[in-house]
Amino acid sequence: MRWNMQLLGLIGLSEARARLDLSSVVTPLHVRDVIAVLTESIAQTRIGTGHTDAPSSSSKSSQLQSFVKMMQMRSAALGRRIFEYEELKEIGTRAGIMTGIAKLVEIANMGGYLLKKGVNMYEVVPD
């Protein structure tokens, strides 16, 4: 039942985000913006509560942007959107991210940049 309330909250926030653009239609971009804000808020809350193992939110955000850009470029270059986790780790390394790839994949999945397709399989969402 809790996920139902979370989904309703996400829908409401996405509708509000669309209204900021004076749009009557909620687009995937509006939903991604809301998820990014929520993810950032959760990361800030973790940092504020003393979880020092998390990188700073600005570095995590820039890592996520680099990672997403590299995933999308690699997907376009290879002409496919499905990648194994090991391939995503390699993409992260090429983007200069040496640690925390698993967490970054999780954040990208929560943010709608990746869709989990099975055990260690992910689909890159086109921009």
Side-chain angles (χ1 to χ4, degrees):
M1 197 67 159
R2 182 177 181 186
W3 64 267
N4 198 14
M5 295 298 291
Q6 292 171 339
L7 182 58
L8 288 174
L10 179 62
I11 291 168
L13 288 170
S14 298
E15 290 170 342
R17 175 62 185 90
R19 285 192 299 271
L20 283 173
D21 286 344
L22 304 177
S23 174
S24 60
V25 177
V26 176
T27 66
L29 181 60
H30 295 131
V31 176
R32 283 190 202 135
D33 283 350
V34 168
I35 291 172
V37 167
L38 291 173
T39 302
E40 185 70 21
S41 175
I42 290 167
Q44 287 290 337
T45 302
R46 281 193 55 173
I47 292 167
T49 58
H51 287 85
T52 56
D53 60 333
S56 73
S57 61
S58 63
S59 78
K60 186 184 294 182
S61 178
S62 65
Q63 283 183 343
L64 179 61
Q65 289 173 355
S66 296
F67 184 57
V68 168
K69 186 175 182 178
M70 285 292 288
M71 284 189 310
Q72 290 171 341
M73 287 174 32
R74 187 77 174 146
S75 176
L78 295 175
R80 63 185 173 98
R81 297 189 333 205
I82 305 291
F83 291 90
E84 293 181 13
Y85 176 73
E86 290 300 318
E87 293 175 289
L88 294 176
K89 280 175 51 177
E90 180 183 325
I91 291 170
T93 302
R94 288 183 181 190
I97 303 163
M98 299 301 157
T99 61
I101 298 287
K103 190 67 172 169
L104 206 53
V105 168
E106 180 183 333
I107 291 169
N109 185 40
M110 289 187 330
Y113 301 105
L114 283 175
L115 297 175
K116 188 163 177 83
K117 290 297 201 176
V119 178
N120 293 326
M121 298 296 289
Y122 294 87
E123 179 180 352
V124 175
V125 176
D127 193 21

